[in-house]
Amino acid sequence: MGVTAQPSRTLGKAKVCHTPAAVSAAFDDANLIAHAGLVPVMRLAERCGLSRLIAGKVKLTGAKNGAGAAADAKVTSIVGGMVVGAGSIDDLDVLRHGAMPTVFGGIRAPSTLGTFLRAFTDGHALQLHAVHRRFLGELAAHTPLLLGSGEKPFIDIDSTHKRVYGRTKQGAEYGRFKGIRTLHPLLATICTPASRPVIATVRMRRGKAADSRGAPKFAAEALATAVEAGCTGTRILRADSQFYNAGVIAACRRAGARFSITTGMNPSVKRAIAAIPATAWQQITYPTAVPDPETGVLVSDAEVAEIPAYTAFASRKKSERVTARLIVRRVRDLAKPAVIGEQGELFPVWRHHPFFTDNPAPTLVAEREHRHHAVVEQVIADNKASALAHLPSGHFNANAAWLTLWAMAYNLLRATGSLASAFHAKATTATLRAHLIRVPARIARSARRITLHLPHNRRRQHAWTRCSTPSTAHQNPPDSPCPPRPPGPDQNRNVEKLGNQRIQHAHAHAHRPIQHRLGNPSEDHFQTRRWIKAKRVGTRKLERITARRSELDTLAVELARQLQEVQAEREEFVIAERS
């Protein structure tokens, strides 16, 4: 009698547990939000003073239809929408679903935000640039955004072309790409060996603008922004050959920074490379293959040589000539492989990649650091996959403001990731949105408080908690110029109201001077005994206080942490009161 094996029900594909007739859907819950991760992000923005900076800098005077009113609420609405992933003005409506208006106050409609952007002029765009620079400095002061900025920060400058399709879009012109209308943004980033790049400054330009147009001023602004962001180490500006000119290098020298700029193969550089002896070339092998910038072929082996004193811009007047190092990397020219049956090459043909630098690092280290300039391409790819998927307005200044607001949202996401974990500190913004921002939640109200109920057993809940807890705020390194502010008096008054009486009392006792007084003995025997007894009691109290001094110090540290939590709860109270 045989036994027939039954197929296992647990090995099938994932499927819905109920039949279609047993499942229904209704968009009727006003207590749900789809992007609970926006709460800690915007709380960080408020701690860094984003609204205060906008209210103090951005003044759209003379705008029609009240477009310039409440600029702080409108800018934060746009930044919040970009953090979530909005790629156009209509997409900013993502902040108005479910309970989002309950959690966030002052959210504006997309039509209002579009009118606000179209009211911008060149001067207003510069005001927004000033907010962006100061906001980056505040983010660097409150979070570990630029670890190692006190040693060797790198400022990378590059340009990109963004294709547009509207024929009436202002500034859209045929430029480098034949038959394609583009706008030509220019951006500068700041990074360190231990951190991902953040955006120092951006500039919107018309499609056929040359890469080097306005580059010296732009480089000076990027270097100044790096100082505001706490980059006190040896700043090195890196750029491609389009920015190889005397103005950019002079801007670096005036700012006290160093440079590392690709030169291209001009006749002077070709003569210098031809004069390099064959014994000067050093063989290097890359741990991971790198693509050739011209052919795209992966290269694993190369040779590097250096000309210690190369004078650039020799045709200019003497004050504009610069003498520094010319480092050359060469690889085999594989653009024209040998054909089978034909004669092989008589001598090796090389492709040369020179760059001009005053970086004091050794030759191979300087060459490796210069190649890392390609990290700016990751930022460009990131922006074209998010808020700059297309430039949403036909007005040039509106697109310029949109570009600056995207830079602010990008830096805000990077700061949030640096608080969450080491992995999220270097993750892309798409990963940050998937892990930290797009988290559904249900709100519950109790005693004028709002509680977010998030999914149970979520994989990355610890990272979300770290970025949303003020107690994990950045402790500035010794070289940081912006230490965190001490707790204010209002925070101290609220500690006891929130159930921290014991810690508050211990902190006050630890910092209150001992007020026990020892009186003088009188001739009366009774008073003499009281004096002796008081003296003994005071001595014992003093001994107990001395013995518990370390405990009180620990409580004081704990109080500081509790005070930061109180500040976060106060902000939640403000949100609840606004709602």
PDB file of all heavy atoms in Angstrom, residues 509 514-519 528-546:
ATOM      1  N   HIS A 509      21.173  70.309  43.560  1.00  0.00           N
ATOM      2  CA  HIS A 509      21.974  70.091  44.756  1.00  0.00           C
ATOM      3  C   HIS A 509      23.453  69.989  44.418  1.00  0.00           C
ATOM      4  O   HIS A 509      24.314  70.441  45.179  1.00  0.00           O
ATOM      5  CB  HIS A 509      21.505  68.813  45.446  1.00  0.00           C
ATOM      6  CG  HIS A 509      22.169  68.574  46.779  1.00  0.00           C
ATOM      7  ND1 HIS A 509      21.977  69.396  47.869  1.00  0.00           N
ATOM      8  CD2 HIS A 509      23.043  67.618  47.167  1.00  0.00           C
ATOM      9  CE1 HIS A 509      22.689  68.951  48.903  1.00  0.00           C
ATOM     10  NE2 HIS A 509      23.345  67.879  48.488  1.00  0.00           N
ATOM     11  N   ILE A 514      27.335  74.870  49.267  1.00  0.00           N
ATOM     12  CA  ILE A 514      26.936  74.440  50.611  1.00  0.00           C
ATOM     13  C   ILE A 514      26.692  75.671  51.469  1.00  0.00           C
ATOM     14  O   ILE A 514      27.564  76.519  51.653  1.00  0.00           O
ATOM     15  CB  ILE A 514      28.035  73.552  51.232  1.00  0.00           C
ATOM     16  CG1 ILE A 514      28.212  72.317  50.364  1.00  0.00           C
ATOM     17  CG2 ILE A 514      27.696  73.177  52.647  1.00  0.00           C
ATOM     18  CD1 ILE A 514      29.311  71.411  50.829  1.00  0.00           C
ATOM     19  N   GLN A 515      25.469  75.775  51.999  1.00  0.00           N
ATOM     20  CA  GLN A 515      25.093  76.949  52.747  1.00  0.00           C
ATOM     21  C   GLN A 515      25.010  76.681  54.242  1.00  0.00           C
ATOM     22  O   GLN A 515      24.394  77.434  54.983  1.00  0.00           O
ATOM     23  CB  GLN A 515      23.744  77.480  52.231  1.00  0.00           C
ATOM     24  CG  GLN A 515      23.779  77.889  50.769  1.00  0.00           C
ATOM     25  CD  GLN A 515      22.438  78.335  50.276  1.00  0.00           C
ATOM     26  OE1 GLN A 515      21.452  78.246  50.993  1.00  0.00           O
ATOM     27  NE2 GLN A 515      22.387  78.833  49.049  1.00  0.00           N
ATOM     28  N   HIS A 516      25.578  75.591  54.657  1.00  0.00           N
ATOM     29  CA  HIS A 516      25.555  75.274  56.084  1.00  0.00           C
ATOM     30  C   HIS A 516      26.527  76.188  56.825  1.00  0.00           C
ATOM     31  O   HIS A 516      27.699  76.262  56.494  1.00  0.00           O
ATOM     32  CB  HIS A 516      25.957  73.812  56.309  1.00  0.00           C
ATOM     33  CG  HIS A 516      25.850  73.382  57.722  1.00  0.00           C
ATOM     34  ND1 HIS A 516      24.661  73.015  58.312  1.00  0.00           N
ATOM     35  CD2 HIS A 516      26.793  73.279  58.676  1.00  0.00           C
ATOM     36  CE1 HIS A 516      24.873  72.679  59.567  1.00  0.00           C
ATOM     37  NE2 HIS A 516      26.169  72.832  59.812  1.00  0.00           N
ATOM     38  N   ARG A 517      26.019  76.886  57.822  1.00  0.00           N
ATOM     39  CA  ARG A 517      26.848  77.825  58.574  1.00  0.00           C
ATOM     40  C   ARG A 517      27.178  77.250  59.944  1.00  0.00           C
ATOM     41  O   ARG A 517      26.362  76.601  60.588  1.00  0.00           O
ATOM     42  CB  ARG A 517      26.121  79.169  58.750  1.00  0.00           C
ATOM     43  CG  ARG A 517      25.898  79.907  57.437  1.00  0.00           C
ATOM     44  CD  ARG A 517      25.282  81.246  57.687  1.00  0.00           C
ATOM     45  NE  ARG A 517      25.095  81.974  56.432  1.00  0.00           N
ATOM     46  CZ  ARG A 517      24.593  83.197  56.375  1.00  0.00           C
ATOM     47  NH1 ARG A 517      24.212  83.817  57.468  1.00  0.00           N
ATOM     48  NH2 ARG A 517      24.448  83.796  55.210  1.00  0.00           N
ATOM     49  N   LEU A 518      28.360  77.527  60.424  1.00  0.00           N
ATOM     50  CA  LEU A 518      28.807  77.094  61.740  1.00  0.00           C
ATOM     51  C   LEU A 518      28.836  78.305  62.660  1.00  0.00           C
ATOM     52  O   LEU A 518      29.596  79.240  62.450  1.00  0.00           O
ATOM     53  CB  LEU A 518      30.197  76.457  61.645  1.00  0.00           C
ATOM     54  CG  LEU A 518      30.291  75.241  60.704  1.00  0.00           C
ATOM     55  CD1 LEU A 518      31.705  74.718  60.699  1.00  0.00           C
ATOM     56  CD2 LEU A 518      29.318  74.149  61.110  1.00  0.00           C
ATOM     57  N   GLY A 519      27.998  78.290  63.675  1.00  0.00           N
ATOM     58  CA  GLY A 519      27.930  79.422  64.594  1.00  0.00           C
ATOM     59  C   GLY A 519      29.051  79.407  65.615  1.00  0.00           C
ATOM     60  O   GLY A 519      29.780  78.440  65.775  1.00  0.00           O
ATOM     61  N   THR A 528      26.511  75.854  73.647  1.00  0.00           N
ATOM     62  CA  THR A 528      27.770  75.199  73.266  1.00  0.00           C
ATOM     63  C   THR A 528      27.513  73.791  72.751  1.00  0.00           C
ATOM     64  O   THR A 528      28.080  73.361  71.736  1.00  0.00           O
ATOM     65  CB  THR A 528      28.730  75.156  74.449  1.00  0.00           C
ATOM     66  OG1 THR A 528      28.954  76.484  74.904  1.00  0.00           O
ATOM     67  CG2 THR A 528      30.045  74.512  74.069  1.00  0.00           C
ATOM     68  N   ARG A 529      26.629  73.062  73.426  1.00  0.00           N
ATOM     69  CA  ARG A 529      26.323  71.702  72.972  1.00  0.00           C
ATOM     70  C   ARG A 529      25.615  71.715  71.611  1.00  0.00           C
ATOM     71  O   ARG A 529      25.870  70.857  70.761  1.00  0.00           O
ATOM     72  CB  ARG A 529      25.462  71.003  74.024  1.00  0.00           C
ATOM     73  CG  ARG A 529      26.189  70.750  75.340  1.00  0.00           C
ATOM     74  CD  ARG A 529      25.374  69.906  76.272  1.00  0.00           C
ATOM     75  NE  ARG A 529      25.103  68.599  75.671  1.00  0.00           N
ATOM     76  CZ  ARG A 529      24.343  67.671  76.287  1.00  0.00           C
ATOM     77  NH1 ARG A 529      23.812  67.912  77.446  1.00  0.00           N
ATOM     78  NH2 ARG A 529      24.139  66.514  75.682  1.00  0.00           N
ATOM     79  N   ARG A 530      24.707  72.699  71.421  1.00  0.00           N
ATOM     80  CA  ARG A 530      24.047  72.795  70.131  1.00  0.00           C
ATOM     81  C   ARG A 530      25.054  73.082  69.009  1.00  0.00           C
ATOM     82  O   ARG A 530      24.957  72.548  67.907  1.00  0.00           O
ATOM     83  CB  ARG A 530      22.992  73.917  70.165  1.00  0.00           C
ATOM     84  CG  ARG A 530      21.749  73.568  70.969  1.00  0.00           C
ATOM     85  CD  ARG A 530      20.725  74.671  70.831  1.00  0.00           C
ATOM     86  NE  ARG A 530      20.363  74.864  69.438  1.00  0.00           N
ATOM     87  CZ  ARG A 530      19.582  75.872  69.017  1.00  0.00           C
ATOM     88  NH1 ARG A 530      19.134  76.747  69.897  1.00  0.00           N
ATOM     89  NH2 ARG A 530      19.291  75.985  67.738  1.00  0.00           N
ATOM     90  N   TRP A 531      26.030  73.903  69.338  1.00  0.00           N
ATOM     91  CA  TRP A 531      27.051  74.233  68.340  1.00  0.00           C
ATOM     92  C   TRP A 531      27.882  73.006  67.966  1.00  0.00           C
ATOM     93  O   TRP A 531      28.169  72.743  66.806  1.00  0.00           O
ATOM     94  CB  TRP A 531      27.949  75.340  68.897  1.00  0.00           C
ATOM     95  CG  TRP A 531      29.071  75.708  67.962  1.00  0.00           C
ATOM     96  CD1 TRP A 531      29.017  76.502  66.888  1.00  0.00           C
ATOM     97  CD2 TRP A 531      30.416  75.243  68.039  1.00  0.00           C
ATOM     98  NE1 TRP A 531      30.224  76.598  66.264  1.00  0.00           N
ATOM     99  CE2 TRP A 531      31.124  75.827  66.969  1.00  0.00           C
ATOM    100  CE3 TRP A 531      31.100  74.406  68.933  1.00  0.00           C
ATOM    101  CZ2 TRP A 531      32.474  75.601  66.759  1.00  0.00           C
ATOM    102  CZ3 TRP A 531      32.448  74.186  68.709  1.00  0.00           C
ATOM    103  CH2 TRP A 531      33.125  74.781  67.634  1.00  0.00           C
ATOM    104  N   ILE A 532      28.249  72.196  68.979  1.00  0.00           N
ATOM    105  CA  ILE A 532      29.049  70.997  68.725  1.00  0.00           C
ATOM    106  C   ILE A 532      28.241  69.991  67.906  1.00  0.00           C
ATOM    107  O   ILE A 532      28.735  69.365  66.967  1.00  0.00           O
ATOM    108  CB  ILE A 532      29.515  70.382  70.055  1.00  0.00           C
ATOM    109  CG1 ILE A 532      30.478  71.343  70.767  1.00  0.00           C
ATOM    110  CG2 ILE A 532      30.175  69.031  69.828  1.00  0.00           C
ATOM    111  CD1 ILE A 532      30.879  70.887  72.153  1.00  0.00           C
ATOM    112  N   LYS A 533      26.960  69.833  68.278  1.00  0.00           N
ATOM    113  CA  LYS A 533      26.123  68.889  67.558  1.00  0.00           C
ATOM    114  C   LYS A 533      25.943  69.326  66.098  1.00  0.00           C
ATOM    115  O   LYS A 533      26.014  68.509  65.179  1.00  0.00           O
ATOM    116  CB  LYS A 533      24.771  68.780  68.251  1.00  0.00           C
ATOM    117  CG  LYS A 533      23.845  67.760  67.609  1.00  0.00           C
ATOM    118  CD  LYS A 533      22.548  67.659  68.388  1.00  0.00           C
ATOM    119  CE  LYS A 533      21.625  66.620  67.739  1.00  0.00           C
ATOM    120  NZ  LYS A 533      20.336  66.507  68.487  1.00  0.00           N
ATOM    121  N   ALA A 534      25.714  70.624  65.906  1.00  0.00           N
ATOM    122  CA  ALA A 534      25.554  71.121  64.533  1.00  0.00           C
ATOM    123  C   ALA A 534      26.826  70.931  63.734  1.00  0.00           C
ATOM    124  O   ALA A 534      26.796  70.623  62.538  1.00  0.00           O
ATOM    125  CB  ALA A 534      25.149  72.599  64.571  1.00  0.00           C
ATOM    126  N   LYS A 535      27.948  71.114  64.392  1.00  0.00           N
ATOM    127  CA  LYS A 535      29.213  70.938  63.699  1.00  0.00           C
ATOM    128  C   LYS A 535      29.401  69.496  63.253  1.00  0.00           C
ATOM    129  O   LYS A 535      29.854  69.221  62.134  1.00  0.00           O
ATOM    130  CB  LYS A 535      30.357  71.376  64.596  1.00  0.00           C
ATOM    131  CG  LYS A 535      31.715  71.316  63.923  1.00  0.00           C
ATOM    132  CD  LYS A 535      32.789  71.844  64.833  1.00  0.00           C
ATOM    133  CE  LYS A 535      34.155  71.774  64.146  1.00  0.00           C
ATOM    134  NZ  LYS A 535      35.235  72.287  65.022  1.00  0.00           N
ATOM    135  N   ARG A 536      29.029  68.550  64.135  1.00  0.00           N
ATOM    136  CA  ARG A 536      29.157  67.141  63.771  1.00  0.00           C
ATOM    137  C   ARG A 536      28.220  66.788  62.618  1.00  0.00           C
ATOM    138  O   ARG A 536      28.607  66.062  61.681  1.00  0.00           O
ATOM    139  CB  ARG A 536      28.866  66.268  64.979  1.00  0.00           C
ATOM    140  CG  ARG A 536      29.923  66.361  66.082  1.00  0.00           C
ATOM    141  CD  ARG A 536      29.498  65.566  67.288  1.00  0.00           C
ATOM    142  NE  ARG A 536      30.514  65.636  68.327  1.00  0.00           N
ATOM    143  CZ  ARG A 536      30.367  65.109  69.570  1.00  0.00           C
ATOM    144  NH1 ARG A 536      29.228  64.498  69.878  1.00  0.00           N
ATOM    145  NH2 ARG A 536      31.344  65.210  70.441  1.00  0.00           N
ATOM    146  N   VAL A 537      26.971  67.269  62.711  1.00  0.00           N
ATOM    147  CA  VAL A 537      26.013  66.987  61.640  1.00  0.00           C
ATOM    148  C   VAL A 537      26.504  67.565  60.315  1.00  0.00           C
ATOM    149  O   VAL A 537      26.439  66.935  59.266  1.00  0.00           O
ATOM    150  CB  VAL A 537      24.631  67.558  62.003  1.00  0.00           C
ATOM    151  CG1 VAL A 537      23.679  67.430  60.809  1.00  0.00           C
ATOM    152  CG2 VAL A 537      24.066  66.833  63.208  1.00  0.00           C
ATOM    153  N   GLY A 538      27.030  68.798  60.389  1.00  0.00           N
ATOM    154  CA  GLY A 538      27.544  69.409  59.162  1.00  0.00           C
ATOM    155  C   GLY A 538      28.719  68.647  58.589  1.00  0.00           C
ATOM    156  O   GLY A 538      28.855  68.510  57.369  1.00  0.00           O
ATOM    157  N   THR A 539      29.576  68.132  59.473  1.00  0.00           N
ATOM    158  CA  THR A 539      30.724  67.360  58.994  1.00  0.00           C
ATOM    159  C   THR A 539      30.275  66.081  58.305  1.00  0.00           C
ATOM    160  O   THR A 539      30.802  65.705  57.255  1.00  0.00           O
ATOM    161  CB  THR A 539      31.654  67.033  60.164  1.00  0.00           C
ATOM    162  OG1 THR A 539      32.065  68.255  60.786  1.00  0.00           O
ATOM    163  CG2 THR A 539      32.874  66.277  59.690  1.00  0.00           C
ATOM    164  N   ARG A 540      29.271  65.409  58.929  1.00  0.00           N
ATOM    165  CA  ARG A 540      28.778  64.173  58.294  1.00  0.00           C
ATOM    166  C   ARG A 540      28.123  64.462  56.942  1.00  0.00           C
ATOM    167  O   ARG A 540      28.295  63.706  55.987  1.00  0.00           O
ATOM    168  CB  ARG A 540      27.792  63.476  59.237  1.00  0.00           C
ATOM    169  CG  ARG A 540      28.464  62.820  60.442  1.00  0.00           C
ATOM    170  CD  ARG A 540      27.518  61.861  61.129  1.00  0.00           C
ATOM    171  NE  ARG A 540      26.360  62.561  61.684  1.00  0.00           N
ATOM    172  CZ  ARG A 540      26.288  63.035  62.936  1.00  0.00           C
ATOM    173  NH1 ARG A 540      27.337  62.884  63.751  1.00  0.00           N
ATOM    174  NH2 ARG A 540      25.204  63.648  63.367  1.00  0.00           N
ATOM    175  N   LYS A 541      27.352  65.553  56.887  1.00  0.00           N
ATOM    176  CA  LYS A 541      26.738  65.907  55.617  1.00  0.00           C
ATOM    177  C   LYS A 541      27.785  66.213  54.551  1.00  0.00           C
ATOM    178  O   LYS A 541      27.660  65.825  53.395  1.00  0.00           O
ATOM    179  CB  LYS A 541      25.813  67.114  55.801  1.00  0.00           C
ATOM    180  CG  LYS A 541      24.536  66.800  56.549  1.00  0.00           C
ATOM    181  CD  LYS A 541      23.650  68.037  56.585  1.00  0.00           C
ATOM    182  CE  LYS A 541      22.325  67.711  57.296  1.00  0.00           C
ATOM    183  NZ  LYS A 541      21.445  68.893  57.350  1.00  0.00           N
ATOM    184  N   LEU A 542      28.824  66.914  54.983  1.00  0.00           N
ATOM    185  CA  LEU A 542      29.887  67.238  54.032  1.00  0.00           C
ATOM    186  C   LEU A 542      30.570  65.983  53.529  1.00  0.00           C
ATOM    187  O   LEU A 542      30.908  65.865  52.347  1.00  0.00           O
ATOM    188  CB  LEU A 542      30.896  68.177  54.694  1.00  0.00           C
ATOM    189  CG  LEU A 542      32.052  68.657  53.810  1.00  0.00           C
ATOM    190  CD1 LEU A 542      31.503  69.442  52.624  1.00  0.00           C
ATOM    191  CD2 LEU A 542      33.023  69.507  54.616  1.00  0.00           C
ATOM    192  N   GLU A 543      30.761  65.005  54.420  1.00  0.00           N
ATOM    193  CA  GLU A 543      31.390  63.761  54.001  1.00  0.00           C
ATOM    194  C   GLU A 543      30.491  62.994  53.021  1.00  0.00           C
ATOM    195  O   GLU A 543      30.981  62.408  52.050  1.00  0.00           O
ATOM    196  CB  GLU A 543      31.694  62.891  55.231  1.00  0.00           C
ATOM    197  CG  GLU A 543      32.799  63.456  56.104  1.00  0.00           C
ATOM    198  CD  GLU A 543      32.974  62.636  57.370  1.00  0.00           C
ATOM    199  OE1 GLU A 543      32.151  61.721  57.598  1.00  0.00           O
ATOM    200  OE2 GLU A 543      33.917  62.913  58.110  1.00  0.00           O
ATOM    201  N   ARG A 544      29.167  62.999  53.276  1.00  0.00           N
ATOM    202  CA  ARG A 544      28.253  62.295  52.375  1.00  0.00           C
ATOM    203  C   ARG A 544      28.224  62.963  50.993  1.00  0.00           C
ATOM    204  O   ARG A 544      28.190  62.294  49.968  1.00  0.00           O
ATOM    205  CB  ARG A 544      26.844  62.259  52.978  1.00  0.00           C
ATOM    206  CG  ARG A 544      26.715  61.276  54.138  1.00  0.00           C
ATOM    207  CD  ARG A 544      25.248  60.976  54.402  1.00  0.00           C
ATOM    208  NE  ARG A 544      24.513  62.189  54.770  1.00  0.00           N
ATOM    209  CZ  ARG A 544      24.345  62.610  56.024  1.00  0.00           C
ATOM    210  NH1 ARG A 544      24.874  61.910  57.030  1.00  0.00           N
ATOM    211  NH2 ARG A 544      23.664  63.700  56.272  1.00  0.00           N
ATOM    212  N   ILE A 545      28.236  64.308  51.007  1.00  0.00           N
ATOM    213  CA  ILE A 545      28.222  65.016  49.735  1.00  0.00           C
ATOM    214  C   ILE A 545      29.498  64.734  48.948  1.00  0.00           C
ATOM    215  O   ILE A 545      29.481  64.538  47.729  1.00  0.00           O
ATOM    216  CB  ILE A 545      28.035  66.525  49.968  1.00  0.00           C
ATOM    217  CG1 ILE A 545      26.634  66.800  50.515  1.00  0.00           C
ATOM    218  CG2 ILE A 545      28.258  67.316  48.691  1.00  0.00           C
ATOM    219  CD1 ILE A 545      26.403  68.234  50.901  1.00  0.00           C
ATOM    220  N   THR A 546      30.614  64.702  49.650  1.00  0.00           N
ATOM    221  CA  THR A 546      31.881  64.415  48.979  1.00  0.00           C
ATOM    222  C   THR A 546      31.896  63.001  48.420  1.00  0.00           C
ATOM    223  O   THR A 546      32.398  62.762  47.309  1.00  0.00           O
ATOM    224  CB  THR A 546      33.043  64.612  49.958  1.00  0.00           C
ATOM    225  OG1 THR A 546      32.990  65.951  50.480  1.00  0.00           O
ATOM    226  CG2 THR A 546      34.377  64.398  49.280  1.00  0.00           C
TER     227      THR A 546
END
